[in-house]
Amino acid sequence: MFSIDALPRTDVHDSARPLEAQITASPGRFRVLTGDRPTGPLHLGHYFGTLANRVRLQRAGVDLFIVIADYQVFTDRDGVTGLSDTVHDLVLDYLAAGVDPDTTTIFTHSSVPALNQLVLPFLSLVTVGELQRNPTVKAEAQAAANGHRGLSGLLFSYPVHQAADILFCGGNLVPVGRDQLPHIEITRLIARRFNERYAGGRTVFAEPEAMLSEAPVVLGADGAKMSKSRGNAINLSDDEDRTAAVIKRFRTDSERTISYEPQRRPEVAGLLDLAALCLNRPAAGLAGELGNQGSAALKALVTEAVNEHLRPLRQRRRELAGDRAQLSRILAEGNRRAVDIADRTLNRVRAAMGTTY
Ligand code: TRP
């Protein structure tokens, strides 16, 4: 039977030791909250950028929570279709990559009422100006203005919702890319202000820390960062033939000799990086071995490396895909755990705020 300690986890901060050493020595001190918005299948950029790191942390014995941030999908689009399939496919990607649902909690935040209720007290702790200054909100507001659209209230407040995702379960470590750092800052601000304003300085919420990953940037077919919206991605769920077809489309240059020069030859370097990640070997060494064989040989190497690396994952994915009921059960169990924790957190919040009647 899965059971979770009461909140809060203590602050992580222990500047005397590097974070990785702390994780190895005492994984039980860490609760990692991380997540994705369910907008489509995961690709190699997600895999090498975050997913592999999550599985690594899980295997190190860290308590891992993965939020499927379904409400966030509604922030910037009018209608959303097929969300249930997208969410099930996301769970499939997680499990295939090695996420273990017995120890890791996978949940959809729309299924956890008390998590969402935290958004209201949290909104009372930030100003409109602070939200306007959040870089993502600012960029989205600008894009909306340029397109003569309105900015939804949900988008405007989404950093606060994200704070609720993290704080409801006492997450104290959040692996993020640089672009998400301002959200962690708002989360810390909310935790601090809650403790000061509503809890007389007691720690109801510990301030989480960002775990900045030196995750590699994976480039896609057009030489830009791999992303679903650019249509340049290799998905985990693609089969080997489709993977080969996408890699054929990757841009290269006309120089016959393969060399690893990220500044001068970014597309060739991007392909070498991908092979290097899959083979766990240095990119420059691979370039040296290819010598003057040209980009066809480079692409053959990358195709083989990617397909080989993903073979066990894809095999597991196919096996699990046949049993949708099992995926639903896993989500239901994750949601049940999240509801249990969120209810307890909301009770503490109610007690602190004096809203118990
Ligand atoms: N905003 C994140 C993204 O777009 C997803 C997300 C939602 C998240 N809630 C979170 C990430 C909490 C970390 C912590 O990818």
Side-chain angles (χ1 to χ4, degrees), residues 33-37 67 69 72 162 165-166 174 180:
L33 181 292
T34 165
D36 302 290
R37 46 175 78 196
V67 59
Q72 276 194 7
Q162 192 151 327
D165 291 341
I166 297 168
V174 188
Q180 300 271 313

mmCIF file of all heavy atoms in Angstrom, residues 33-37 67 69 72 162 165-166 174 180, ligand 1:
data_model
loop_
_atom_site.group_PDB
_atom_site.id
_atom_site.type_symbol
_atom_site.label_atom_id
_atom_site.label_comp_id
_atom_site.label_asym_id
_atom_site.label_seq_id
_atom_site.Cartn_x
_atom_site.Cartn_y
_atom_site.Cartn_z
ATOM 1 N N LEU A 33 8.535 17.256 -8.066
ATOM 2 C CA LEU A 33 7.297 17.437 -8.822
ATOM 3 C C LEU A 33 7.691 17.966 -10.189
ATOM 4 O O LEU A 33 8.428 18.939 -10.302
ATOM 5 C CB LEU A 33 6.383 18.422 -8.091
ATOM 6 C CG LEU A 33 5.006 18.775 -8.679
ATOM 7 C CD1 LEU A 33 5.063 19.574 -9.975
ATOM 8 C CD2 LEU A 33 4.143 17.546 -8.898
ATOM 9 N N THR A 34 7.205 17.309 -11.200
ATOM 10 C CA THR A 34 7.498 17.757 -12.552
ATOM 11 C C THR A 34 6.300 17.404 -13.415
ATOM 12 O O THR A 34 5.408 16.690 -12.958
ATOM 13 C CB THR A 34 8.788 17.081 -13.069
ATOM 14 O OG1 THR A 34 8.866 17.251 -14.489
ATOM 15 C CG2 THR A 34 8.824 15.615 -12.770
ATOM 16 N N GLY A 35 6.233 17.935 -14.603
ATOM 17 C CA GLY A 35 5.051 17.619 -15.395
ATOM 18 C C GLY A 35 5.102 18.127 -16.807
ATOM 19 O O GLY A 35 6.057 18.773 -17.238
ATOM 20 N N ASP A 36 4.035 17.816 -17.511
ATOM 21 C CA ASP A 36 3.924 18.195 -18.915
ATOM 22 C C ASP A 36 2.504 18.628 -19.191
ATOM 23 O O ASP A 36 1.568 18.142 -18.573
ATOM 24 C CB ASP A 36 4.213 16.980 -19.811
ATOM 25 C CG ASP A 36 5.576 16.383 -19.559
ATOM 26 O OD1 ASP A 36 6.566 17.031 -19.912
ATOM 27 O OD2 ASP A 36 5.638 15.278 -18.980
ATOM 28 N N ARG A 37 2.368 19.528 -20.160
ATOM 29 C CA ARG A 37 1.012 19.763 -20.631
ATOM 30 C C ARG A 37 0.724 18.733 -21.729
ATOM 31 O O ARG A 37 1.565 18.492 -22.595
ATOM 32 C CB ARG A 37 0.815 21.195 -21.106
ATOM 33 C CG ARG A 37 1.881 21.737 -21.997
ATOM 34 C CD ARG A 37 1.522 23.098 -22.507
ATOM 35 N NE ARG A 37 1.736 24.149 -21.510
ATOM 36 C CZ ARG A 37 1.214 25.364 -21.600
ATOM 37 N NH1 ARG A 37 0.436 25.684 -22.612
ATOM 38 N NH2 ARG A 37 1.463 26.260 -20.680
ATOM 39 N N VAL A 67 2.808 15.611 -12.881
ATOM 40 C CA VAL A 67 1.492 16.190 -13.159
ATOM 41 C C VAL A 67 1.281 16.266 -14.665
ATOM 42 O O VAL A 67 2.136 16.758 -15.404
ATOM 43 C CB VAL A 67 1.333 17.591 -12.516
ATOM 44 C CG1 VAL A 67 2.380 18.586 -12.993
ATOM 45 C CG2 VAL A 67 -0.060 18.159 -12.802
ATOM 46 N N ALA A 69 -0.680 18.295 -16.860
ATOM 47 C CA ALA A 69 -1.314 19.598 -16.589
ATOM 48 C C ALA A 69 -2.396 19.874 -17.636
ATOM 49 O O ALA A 69 -2.226 20.695 -18.528
ATOM 50 C CB ALA A 69 -0.258 20.691 -16.575
ATOM 51 N N GLN A 72 -3.816 23.357 -18.264
ATOM 52 C CA GLN A 72 -2.918 24.285 -18.977
ATOM 53 C C GLN A 72 -3.112 24.244 -20.491
ATOM 54 O O GLN A 72 -2.749 25.174 -21.189
ATOM 55 C CB GLN A 72 -1.452 23.998 -18.636
ATOM 56 C CG GLN A 72 -1.006 24.658 -17.352
ATOM 57 C CD GLN A 72 0.518 24.665 -17.181
ATOM 58 O OE1 GLN A 72 1.263 24.296 -18.069
ATOM 59 N NE2 GLN A 72 0.954 25.086 -16.013
ATOM 60 N N GLN A 162 0.454 26.695 -11.454
ATOM 61 C CA GLN A 162 1.645 25.858 -11.434
ATOM 62 C C GLN A 162 2.242 25.796 -10.019
ATOM 63 O O GLN A 162 2.750 24.758 -9.587
ATOM 64 C CB GLN A 162 2.653 26.378 -12.455
ATOM 65 C CG GLN A 162 3.772 25.425 -12.707
ATOM 66 C CD GLN A 162 4.355 25.534 -14.119
ATOM 67 O OE1 GLN A 162 3.645 25.829 -15.075
ATOM 68 N NE2 GLN A 162 5.631 25.289 -14.239
ATOM 69 N N ASP A 165 0.364 23.204 -8.270
ATOM 70 C CA ASP A 165 0.835 21.867 -8.671
ATOM 71 C C ASP A 165 2.022 21.431 -7.818
ATOM 72 O O ASP A 165 2.169 20.260 -7.475
ATOM 73 C CB ASP A 165 1.307 21.863 -10.140
ATOM 74 C CG ASP A 165 0.174 22.041 -11.139
ATOM 75 O OD1 ASP A 165 -0.987 21.820 -10.778
ATOM 76 O OD2 ASP A 165 0.472 22.418 -12.298
ATOM 77 N N ILE A 166 2.891 22.378 -7.539
ATOM 78 C CA ILE A 166 4.125 22.047 -6.828
ATOM 79 C C ILE A 166 3.891 21.977 -5.314
ATOM 80 O O ILE A 166 4.316 21.037 -4.635
ATOM 81 C CB ILE A 166 5.223 23.103 -7.121
ATOM 82 C CG1 ILE A 166 5.564 23.089 -8.621
ATOM 83 C CG2 ILE A 166 6.474 22.860 -6.271
ATOM 84 C CD1 ILE A 166 6.420 24.270 -9.078
ATOM 85 N N VAL A 174 12.261 20.872 -8.218
ATOM 86 C CA VAL A 174 11.525 20.917 -9.485
ATOM 87 C C VAL A 174 12.530 20.993 -10.639
ATOM 88 O O VAL A 174 13.164 22.025 -10.842
ATOM 89 C CB VAL A 174 10.575 22.141 -9.529
ATOM 90 C CG1 VAL A 174 9.679 22.073 -10.765
ATOM 91 C CG2 VAL A 174 9.732 22.224 -8.270
ATOM 92 N N GLN A 180 11.536 28.106 -17.336
ATOM 93 C CA GLN A 180 10.534 27.906 -16.281
ATOM 94 C C GLN A 180 10.971 28.493 -14.935
ATOM 95 O O GLN A 180 10.217 28.471 -13.968
ATOM 96 C CB GLN A 180 10.250 26.409 -16.092
ATOM 97 C CG GLN A 180 9.708 25.706 -17.329
ATOM 98 C CD GLN A 180 8.186 25.760 -17.407
ATOM 99 O OE1 GLN A 180 7.482 25.498 -16.447
ATOM 100 N NE2 GLN A 180 7.667 26.137 -18.570
HETATM 101 N N1 TRP B 1 4.309 24.373 -17.643
HETATM 102 C C1 TRP B 1 4.952 23.101 -17.823
HETATM 103 C C2 TRP B 1 5.206 22.926 -19.318
HETATM 104 O O1 TRP B 1 4.633 23.611 -20.121
HETATM 105 C C3 TRP B 1 4.105 21.945 -17.311
HETATM 106 C C4 TRP B 1 3.817 22.048 -15.842
HETATM 107 C C5 TRP B 1 2.618 22.272 -15.252
HETATM 108 C C6 TRP B 1 4.776 21.953 -14.779
HETATM 109 N N2 TRP B 1 2.735 22.304 -13.903
HETATM 110 C C7 TRP B 1 4.034 22.141 -13.575
HETATM 111 C C8 TRP B 1 6.156 21.763 -14.740
HETATM 112 C C9 TRP B 1 4.690 22.140 -12.339
HETATM 113 C C10 TRP B 1 6.800 21.764 -13.494
HETATM 114 C C11 TRP B 1 6.059 21.976 -12.314
HETATM 115 O O2 TRP B 1 5.970 22.050 -19.672
#
